[in-house]
Amino acid sequence: MPNIPTGGITMWIAENWKDYEVLDTSGGEKLERWAGYVLVRPDPQVIWNTARGHAGWKKPNAHYHRSKKGGGEWEFFDLPKQWQISYGSLKFNLQPFSFKHTGLFPEQAVNWDWFSKIIREETARRGGGEPVRVLNLFAYTGGATVAAAAAGAAVTHVDASKGMVTWAKENAALSGLADAPIRYIVDDCQKFVEREIRRGNRYDAVIMDPPSYGRGPKGEIWKIEENIYAFVELCVDVLKEKPLFFLINSYTTGLQPAVLGYLLGLAMGRFAGSVEAEEIGLPVSANGLVLPCGASGRWEAVRNG
């Protein structure tokens, strides 16, 4: 997808949602529609205080209140414990849980569309031969896994949280992909990649959504500013001789698009390809703004014919 200019700003915008919508933003919060339910959640990017004219502000289904001491808690008015949302043929379970999350980052749909097109085109080129093999690291509840599998890829889904992997399996089943070639792994991502390299297993593409800080299942500590470059270099060694793409997402880490672009350009220098990096965002219905939601870096192979 080409960059979309927004008031002189270029950004990759997840604009194809029907079940999800940012209705309005004001005073450090965003008003969102998730299928049939309206939520108010904090967002540190919303530093403007504009009039809250939308009726949803006064009567949401749930409101997450940020605490001045850190963290926060949900206030529920009329929200089920779990509900579903669709993006085209993809379906996902949602539920409110700790630190304001619902189990899905809708801005990532712009990346799903990007790599799904690459996967479909390569699958068609191979004519029913070996499937495109995608490694999805820090894979959370499987938004990218489900999108890649729906496009025809064989996906290896890796996350350190057993609960998140179970959730990803549920999302795949909801999307009609229960029998798709998806391998689910509960493990520390770095240790898994190291084992795959030793085993000689290679992939056509890597997707990663690294946290700013985290712990593996055995207490392994991950700090993105200390670990990300070495980890990306490691992941390059799990790629095939002619990889298709490499995607890195940065949510709240503060890694700028240029940093992600340089990171990929340096690490993927041995392959013929091009790098792009931009902020990603969601359109705001009330005022035509686009809410920034982090950044993504994309490396894509140069393909002939």
Side-chain angles (χ1 to χ4, degrees):
M1 172 178 277
N3 296 348
I4 301 174
T6 307
I9 300 170
T10 58
M11 196 181 300
W12 290 324
I13 303 172
E15 58 181 356
N16 294 325
W17 279 99
K18 293 183 172 56
D19 269 8
Y20 174 84
E21 182 180 8
V22 180
L23 299 168
D24 199 3
T25 56
S26 180
E29 294 182 311
K30 55 189 173 185
L31 181 71
E32 306 165 287
R33 177 179 61 84
W34 295 82
Y37 299 96
V38 174
L39 307 183
V40 177
R41 297 192 297 159
D43 194 303
Q45 301 295 330
V46 183
I47 62 173
W48 45 87
N49 286 293
T50 50
R52 297 190 174 197
H54 195 286
W57 287 112
K58 296 180 180 179
K59 198 173 181 180
N61 296 100
H63 190 165
Y64 187 91
H65 298 278
R66 176 66 56 80
S67 170
K68 293 182 180 179
K69 298 179 180 179
E73 62 180 1
W74 285 97
E75 180 182 12
F76 298 108
F77 303 106
D78 182 20
L79 187 72
K81 291 184 178 180
Q82 186 177 84
W83 73 106
Q84 296 176 8
I85 195 171
S86 298
Y87 185 74
S89 65
L90 311 180
K91 296 184 185 300
F92 306 98
N93 274 331
L94 302 174
Q95 66 183 69
F97 69 110
S98 61
F99 198 63
K100 78 179 181 180
H101 296 313
T102 63
L104 192 69
F105 293 95
E107 66 274 8
Q108 285 300 318
V110 71
N111 285 323
W112 304 342
D113 292 344
W114 170 73
F115 65 65
S116 293
K117 182 175 183 290
I118 297 172
I119 293 168
R120 286 193 297 268
E121 289 176 351
E122 179 63 16
T123 299
R125 191 190 69 79
R126 295 182 183 185
E130 182 181 352
V132 173
R133 299 189 67 209
V134 174
L135 177 60
N136 186 15
L137 301 168
F138 310 100
Y140 194 53
T141 59
T145 293
V146 172
V155 185
T156 298
H157 174 110
V158 187
D159 197 278
S161 168
K162 184 177 180 180
M164 294 300 103
V165 172
T166 298
W167 196 332
K169 291 180 181 179
E170 294 171 354
N171 285 336
L174 280 175
S175 299
L177 298 166
D179 297 323
I182 304 173
R183 184 166 60 131
Y184 299 96
I185 307 292
V186 179
D187 202 354
D188 174 78
C189 288
Q190 178 160 333
K191 290 186 176 180
F192 177 79
V193 171
E194 289 171 348
R195 286 200 305 274
E196 288 292 87
I197 292 170
R198 291 196 298 268
R199 292 166 179 157
N201 291 333
R202 298 295 181 264
Y203 296 84
D204 294 289
V206 170
I207 298 167
M208 65 168 67
D209 295 81
S212 56
Y213 179 87
R215 288 185 180 270
K218 295 182 180 179
E220 303 90 343
I221 295 176
W222 165 273
K223 293 183 179 179
I224 193 167
E225 66 277 9
E226 297 178 5
N227 300 114
I228 186 63
Y229 184 69
F231 184 61
V232 170
E233 284 194 312
L234 178 70
C235 290
V236 169
D237 289 336
V238 86
L239 290 168
K240 293 182 179 180
E241 291 183 5
K242 295 183 179 180
L244 290 176
F245 66 87
F246 200 125
L247 171 67
I248 303 177
N249 294 308
S250 171
Y251 296 109
T252 59
T253 62
L255 294 183
Q256 299 300 312
V259 173
L260 297 178
Y262 294 147
L263 174 61
L264 282 175
L266 290 167
M268 297 292 287
R270 74 179 78 163
F271 304 111
S274 61
V275 174
E276 289 186 298
E278 289 286 359
E279 284 188 281
I280 57 175
L282 290 160
V284 181
S285 300
N287 50 26
L289 297 178
V290 176
L291 179 65
C293 302
S296 293
R298 302 169 177 175
W299 178 94
E300 182 176 354
V302 173
R303 286 172 287 170
N304 299 318

